[in-house]
Amino acid sequence: MAYVEAHASLRDHPKTKKVARLLEISKAQVVGHLLYLWWWCQDYAQDGDLSKYSREDIAAAAEWEGEADVFVDALLGCGNKEAPGFLAIEDDETLVVHDWYLYGGKLFVKRQQDAMRQANKRARDAAVTARNDVTPVTHDDVSESHALVTRDVTHSHAYRG
């Protein structure tokens, strides 16, 4: 399940207010469009790099129904002199979601870590299977792996009044 960290301060952040003014929509709509965009990024731009997508793709991802250039320009231009907007253009002209790894990118990193952990587990399991294919399994091996489990399962339906 996709998850994006969205702080309550996003509601009244100066960038949110500026995008609302630039697009002539409410702050609630801005937050909604941002969340749609960030959720989309988790599936299609997991590293926050939007450079392979057109402005129309980005606007559509955010469910923006107006002009794509107006929307993307508002997200780029909502910052101030010291800080970029919700989107930024890096030195190499790459269009990115600003601070992606602090928010939506956490899921991307977690997915990478989970995939690595799963690959390591599969490799360990394959090594054990390969060893067992060439090494006979003894009673001691089975006992050590706790594979022999005995349980006294007696059921009594007798009335104990």
Side-chain angles (χ1 to χ4, degrees), residues 51 89-95:
S51 60
I89 298 176
E90 295 186 336
D91 293 335
D92 63 354
E93 300 301 313
T94 302
L95 179 63

Side-chain angles (χ1 to χ4, degrees), residues 15-68:
K15 289 181 188 181
T16 305
K17 291 178 179 181
K18 189 168 183 181
V19 170
R21 282 193 314 273
L22 292 170
L23 297 177
E24 299 178 346
I25 61 175
S26 70
K27 293 183 300 179
Q29 287 177 284
V30 172
V31 171
H33 290 301
L34 288 171
L35 288 174
Y36 270 88
L37 177 61
W38 295 338
W39 292 329
W40 178 86
C41 286
Q42 287 184 326
D43 291 328
Y44 304 104
Q46 295 179 355
D47 57 358
D49 181 353
L50 300 173
S51 60
K52 65 181 176 181
Y53 297 100
S54 69
R55 286 172 166 238
E56 288 77 16
D57 293 333
I58 295 165
E63 296 292 324
W64 175 253
E65 295 176 355
E67 290 293 320

Side-chain angles (χ1 to χ4, degrees), residues 30-130:
V30 172
V31 171
H33 290 301
L34 288 171
L35 288 174
Y36 270 88
L37 177 61
W38 295 338
W39 292 329
W40 178 86
C41 286
Q42 287 184 326
D43 291 328
Y44 304 104
Q46 295 179 355
D47 57 358
D49 181 353
L50 300 173
S51 60
K52 65 181 176 181
Y53 297 100
S54 69
R55 286 172 166 238
E56 288 77 16
D57 293 333
I58 295 165
E63 296 292 324
W64 175 253
E65 295 176 355
E67 290 293 320
D69 285 337
V70 171
F71 179 74
V72 172
D73 287 342
L75 295 183
L76 282 165
C78 64
N80 57 39
K81 292 179 183 175
E82 294 84 35
F86 288 114
L87 299 182
I89 298 176
E90 295 186 336
D91 293 335
D92 63 354
E93 300 301 313
T94 302
L95 179 63
V96 297
V97 178
H98 177 65
D99 281 347
W100 178 244
Y101 284 104
L102 296 178
Y103 303 103
K106 288 180 182 181
L107 180 63
F108 174 65
V109 171
K110 184 182 179 320
R111 284 177 179 169
Q112 284 183 320
Q113 291 170 340
D114 289 346
M116 188 179 305
R117 199 170 18 258
Q118 186 63 31
N120 290 339
K121 181 185 180 320
R122 285 189 188 115
R124 285 192 310 274
D125 290 349
V128 168
T129 301

